[in-house]
Amino acid sequence: MWQYVWAHLVYHLVRLFPRTNRFKITLVVVMVLTVCLLVPQFWVLLEGHSIRWCSQPLFPLLITSIIFTFFLIGFVFLFLTMMPVPREVKVAFHIFGFVTFLTALIQVGYTSKAEECNSSTEALYKLSVVLTVLGMVTLVYIVVLLPFWIANHVKLNCVLNTAERKGLCYEPVRCCSCLWHI
């Protein structure tokens, strides 16, 4: 789930800058930071202790997280280069978000039962705990924003209507982008 939220926040962060001055923030900051998200995951993957026996499937969840991080890098690249983002990419991104949501729930369940893995696969267990915490934080974030999404879908543009400059959340948009849409 954290992969979905990271790409979502990057999309809105980059759009805070004028189109003519996005290169530095795009290439230097966003893409480098996004690619750096792979470093701890690959470090744990390549560590010899990570393949030891663990009663819970933390290693396959690590591989799944790495695959989703590659998808994250792809979506970040698409969001940075496409103006405007096509509807098909948005739909694929939200399907990706739903799949990462399910994976985050699975990660929470398995990590909560994997305390004995701390002795045999310490780095894998600790990374799994970190990914679980990130997943839980982003799940809370999504749950908080869910009423806004539903309200804006049920009563069109009641939360944010940039064309008419009105809505429940119009004023925060003046200083930062609305974080519940792409």
Side-chain angles (χ1 to χ4, degrees):
M1 191 75 202
W2 64 270
Q3 294 100 337
Y4 174 75
V5 172
W6 177 268
H8 205 130
L9 292 175
V10 163
Y11 172 84
H12 292 291
L13 171 73
V14 169
R15 276 148 182 82
L16 288 174
F17 295 91
R19 281 188 175 199
T20 58
N21 197 14
R22 287 185 185 165
F23 180 74
K24 292 176 188 171
I25 188 73
T26 300
L27 183 64
V28 177
V29 177
V30 174
M31 282 309 285
V32 170
L33 284 176
T34 302
V35 171
C36 285
L37 294 172
L38 282 171
V39 172
Q41 296 178 70
F42 271 114
W43 179 75
V44 171
L45 177 73
L46 297 175
E47 187 180 64
H49 300 290
S50 296
I51 57 173
R52 289 183 181 170
W53 184 83
C54 178
S55 63
Q56 302 299 324
L58 298 183
F59 194 72
L61 285 171
L62 172 64
I63 293 171
T64 304
S65 178
I66 291 171
I67 291 169
F68 285 161
T69 305
F70 278 115
F71 276 105
L72 155 75
I73 291 169
F75 278 117
V76 165
F77 178 76
L78 290 176
F79 292 156
L80 296 176
T81 57
M82 294 182 157
M83 303 285 174
V85 178
R87 179 166 168 43
E88 294 82 10
V89 174
K90 292 179 185 180
V91 169
F93 178 65
H94 291 303
I95 291 170
F96 170 71
F98 181 72
V99 172
T100 59
F101 167 75
L102 294 177
T103 306
L105 292 178
I106 293 168
Q107 179 94 30
V108 168
Y110 283 133
T111 304
S112 66
K113 297 176 185 176
E115 196 169 316
E116 72 277 353
C117 296
N118 191 18
S119 59
S120 61
T121 57
E122 184 179 359
L124 179 62
Y125 176 73
K126 287 182 180 179
L127 181 65
S128 183
V129 168
V130 168
L131 294 176
T132 299
V133 169
L134 283 172
M136 291 302 295
V137 167
T138 56
L139 284 174
V140 168
Y141 173 75
I142 295 297
V143 167
V144 167
L145 293 181
L146 195 59
F148 293 105
W149 285 334
I150 293 171
N152 207 42
H153 184 70
V154 170
K155 188 176 179 194
L156 194 60
N157 295 328
C158 72
V159 176
L160 177 66
N161 187 346
T162 54
E164 296 179 16
R165 297 181 176 225
K166 67 178 186 177
L168 177 67
C169 292
Y170 180 71
E171 288 301 317
V173 174
R174 291 175 59 192
C175 61
C176 94
S177 298
C178 220
L179 296 179
W180 52 79
H181 66 85
I182 280 192

